[in-house]
């Protein structure tokens, strides 16, 4: 074993020498044998590996950051509003913006008929920020004029004033507008304030007339319209300017009746009234006939014989006068609902 060990190095040397000789013999004539290339330093290899790892890491970070971009979810009431992000139009609500630069942004939301909504929000990387805009109605105005002036203006059935009139703080929607003036035909229109061209309304009024018929039970009541007497019932007026009037009926022995008349163009307005009376009747006759009759100091236009049917119950002073005869007077008691008969024989003066 030890001998074999001692001869082994000799054999290796022999093999290496033979290999060297064979390579030398195979080389072409005149060719020089190059020395082996020097090895690159290990430090250069480490630097290349470091650069590759850094590039890969940067790419991974970039992709991760892209996956964690900021986003905005913008809603408005009402919806369908136009959205401006940092003064750039970006869409209509409801709207999701998935790739927004992190940081503070100005938002403006607009929709016709509503006030502009302005606000700011902060977009956070990797999360969705909610933006909710509760819009408020824009304030609108309506200008109403008429010829002639002074016409009553009603909006959706509520009286607002007389022309010329400016109505403010109105919502942008449809309104029922009616303009009326006594003696003129009323005019009705539907006004859409969301249309700016309809914010001014002018009316040219035209005269119009109606008819009135007033009857009462009992008859003979005085008819007073807007403080002016027009006769006694039954009463007919064939041409009365349209409009609203205050009516009063007066009758001796009864409580006044009041009412409001609304006269329409081309229509006969018929009103019927009944007095709640505490009346009695008085039938007066004289011999000879033809005496004038005065009751309670008030001369009547009647002469005997005549029957009064609308005198109050109670005691009344009756006076009778006829030329050539002595005057006659006395108190007469009249019960409710009954007719008292008075028959007087007058005394001749000569």
């Amino acid at each position: 074993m030890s001998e074999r060990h001692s001869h082994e190095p000799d054999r290796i040397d022999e093999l290496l020498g033979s290999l060297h000789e064979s390579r030398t013999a195979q080389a072409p004539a005149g060719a020089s044998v190059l020395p082996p290339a020097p090895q690159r330093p290990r430090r250069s290899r480490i630097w290349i590996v470091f650069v590759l790892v850094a590039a890969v890491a940067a790419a991974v970070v970039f992709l991760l950051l892209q996956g964690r971009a900021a986003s905005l979810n913008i809603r408005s009431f009402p919806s369908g509003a136009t959205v401006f992000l940092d003064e750039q139009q970006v869409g209509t609500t409801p709207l999701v913006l998935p790739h927004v630069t992190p940081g503070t942004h100005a938002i403006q939301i607009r929709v016709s008929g509503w006030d502009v909504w302005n606000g700011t929000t902060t977009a956070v990387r990797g999360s969705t920020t909610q933006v909710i805009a509760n819009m408020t109605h824009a304030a609108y105005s309506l200008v109403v004029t008429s010829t002639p002036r002074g016409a009553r203006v009603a909006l959706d059935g509520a009286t607002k004033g007389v022309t010329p009139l400016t109505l403010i703080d109105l919502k942008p929607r449809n309104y029922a507008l009616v303009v009326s003036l006594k003696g003129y035909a009323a005019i009705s229109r539907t006004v859409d304030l969301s249309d700016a061209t309809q914010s001014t309304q002018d009316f040219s009024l035209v005269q119009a007339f109606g008819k009135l018929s007033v009857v009462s039970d009992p008859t003979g009541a005085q008819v007073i319209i807007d403080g002016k007497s027009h006769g006694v019932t039954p009463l007919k007026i064939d041409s009365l300017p349209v409009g609203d009037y205050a009516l009063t009926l007066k009758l001796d022995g009864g409580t006044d009746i009041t009412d409001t008349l609304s006269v329409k163009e081309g229509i006969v307005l018929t009103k019927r009234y009944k007095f709640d009376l505490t009346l009695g009747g008085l039938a007066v006759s004289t011999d000879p006939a033809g005496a004038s009759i005065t009751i309670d100091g008030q001369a009547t236009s009647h002469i005997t014989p005549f029957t009064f049917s609308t005198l109050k119950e109670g005691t009344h002073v009756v006076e009778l006068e006829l030329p050539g005869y002595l005057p006659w007077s006395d108190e007469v008691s009249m019960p409710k609902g009954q007719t008292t008969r008075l028959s007087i024989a007058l005394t001749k003066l000569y």
Side-chain angles (χ1 to χ4, degrees):
M1 295 287 293
S2 60
E3 290 179 358
R4 189 174 297 171
H5 252 320
S6 62
H7 291 346
E8 283 180 358
D10 296 337
R11 293 185 63 185
I12 291 172
D13 291 339
E14 291 176 1
L15 290 172
L16 290 174
S18 299
L19 179 62
H20 178 69
E21 289 176 359
S22 64
R23 285 181 177 177
T24 305
Q26 291 175 3
S32 60
V33 179
L34 294 175
Q39 250 184 343
R40 289 185 177 181
R42 183 176 297 177
R43 186 175 299 172
S44 298
R45 296 177 185 175
I46 294 174
W47 176 252
I48 292 172
V49 171
F50 176 78
V51 171
L52 292 175
V53 171
V56 171
V60 171
V61 170
F62 176 78
L63 292 175
L64 289 175
L65 291 179
Q66 282 294 100
R68 290 174 54 80
S71 64
L72 297 178
N73 184 359
I74 304 173
R75 291 179 292 165
S76 70
F77 299 94
S79 60
T82 303
V83 179
F84 293 83
L85 183 68
D86 298 328
E87 299 183 355
Q88 297 296 319
Q89 184 174 335
V90 292
T92 58
T93 58
L95 177 66
V96 175
L97 299 175
H99 302 292
V100 178
T101 303
T104 301
H105 298 272
I107 297 178
Q108 186 177 90
I109 299 178
R110 303 176 185 174
V111 62
S112 178
W114 302 75
D115 287 334
V116 176
W117 188 92
N118 289 286
T120 59
T121 189
T122 300
V124 179
R125 188 183 304 279
S127 65
T128 299
T129 302
Q130 303 287 335
V131 178
I132 300 176
N134 289 309
M135 314 289 286
T136 58
H137 280 291
Y140 284 71
S141 62
L142 175 63
V143 178
V144 185
T145 58
S146 70
T147 304
R149 298 158 59 98
R152 185 181 67 177
V153 178
L155 198 66
D156 285 349
T159 299
K160 298 297 183 179
V162 297
T163 58
L165 180 67
T166 299
L167 302 172
I168 61 174
D169 294 333
L170 299 176
K171 295 180 180 180
R173 62 174 179 84
N174 288 350
Y175 291 87
L177 178 63
V178 180
V179 172
S180 59
L181 181 64
K182 184 179 291 187
Y184 295 82
I187 301 177
S188 301
R189 291 179 187 170
T190 298
V191 178
D192 180 7
L193 285 189
S194 63
D195 182 354
T197 63
Q198 298 189 34
S199 61
T200 299
Q201 297 290 321
D202 182 61
F203 295 82
S204 296
L205 303 178
V206 178
Q207 286 185 316
F209 300 88
K211 297 181 179 182
L212 176 64
S213 174
V214 182
V215 296
S216 68
D217 181 16
T219 61
Q222 184 182 13
V223 180
I224 300 173
I225 300 176
D226 280 355
K228 181 180 178 181
S229 178
H230 284 259
V232 297
T233 57
L235 175 70
K236 290 185 178 182
I237 301 177
D238 291 331
S239 182
L240 185 64
V242 298
D244 295 335
Y245 296 87
L247 171 70
T248 302
L249 295 183
K250 292 180 175 291
L251 183 67
D252 287 341
T255 302
D256 291 354
I257 295 176
T258 59
D259 196 4
T260 298
L261 305 178
S262 183
V263 179
K264 306 295 184 182
E265 182 179 9
I267 298 176
V268 179
L269 176 63
T270 300
K271 305 293 287 187
R272 300 179 183 276
Y273 304 94
K274 182 177 178 61
F275 285 91
D276 183 14
L277 302 176
T278 55
L279 302 178
L282 176 63
V284 183
S285 62
T286 59
D287 182 18
S292 61
I293 306 171
T294 300
I295 298 179
D296 296 331
Q298 298 293 322
T300 70
S301 59
H302 307 294
I303 59 174
T304 59
F306 185 80
T307 298
F308 297 91
S309 60
T310 59
L311 294 179
K312 295 180 182 179
E313 66 172 322
T315 301
H316 297 272
V317 176
V318 179
E319 299 177 50
L320 303 174
E321 291 186 1
L322 182 64
Y325 293 84
L326 289 175
W328 181 95
S329 67
D330 201 355
E331 290 184 350
V332 179
S333 180
M334 296 181 54
K336 177 181 178 181
Q338 298 182 19
T339 299
T340 299
R341 298 189 178 279
L342 182 63
S343 182
I344 305 298
L346 297 177
T347 302
K348 192 174 178 63
L349 289 176
Y350 48 85

